[in-house]
Amino acid sequence: MDLESLYQDIILDHYKHPRGKGLLDRPMGSAFHVNPTCGDEITVQVNQDPQGGLIIGYDGQGCSISQASASVLVELIHGETIEKSEEIRKAFLEMMHAQGAGDPNEDILGDAIAFAGVAKFPARVKCALLSWMALQDAEIQAGLLTTGEGA
Ligand code: ZN
């Protein structure tokens, strides 16, 4: 199996079996983002446990890339600190803006590495980034991030 079809399998698996999908009861921060060119919709919500671990909830509908990306986001960010969350989010943004070049760090990105192939298709990059933009807004709203930081 070549790398490209392995990546497609990972994305399809997250699309068919979304991890941690569902909204939180009383989120500290919540952001709803729309990708009008594709019709994708994502809500990402954030809470923080007393130890500083992030609790992520989400809901949405749209194409396989947007929904799989949200599922991967939850898998990677849930339980992490805000600092680690930022490290992962920035690594993902960097990979998606590298147009298939660059050298994404699989240790940090986990299953998100599967979206490296999507980065070659500018029209789909917005789909992949939608939930990550919503995450940033939810974290700002929750008071966990300062506005303008790393945007
Ligand atoms: Zn889409």
Side-chain angles (χ1 to χ4, degrees), residues 35 38 40 63 66 124 127:
N35 176 16
C38 188
D40 309 317
C63 71
S66 68
R124 311 314 300 275
C127 303

Side-chain angles (χ1 to χ4, degrees), residues 59-97:
D59 199 8
Q61 53 184 356
C63 71
S64 57
I65 291 173
S66 68
Q67 302 306 307
S69 180
S71 169
V72 167
L73 179 152
V74 172
E75 188 171 83
L76 287 173
I77 304 294
H78 193 83
E80 297 292 352
T81 61
I82 185 69
E83 291 80 13
K84 183 74 180 176
S85 160
E86 275 299 271
E87 186 186 348
I88 297 168
R89 193 178 62 79
K90 281 172 185 169
F92 189 75
L93 257 64
E94 200 174 295
M95 178 178 76
M96 294 314 295
H97 288 139

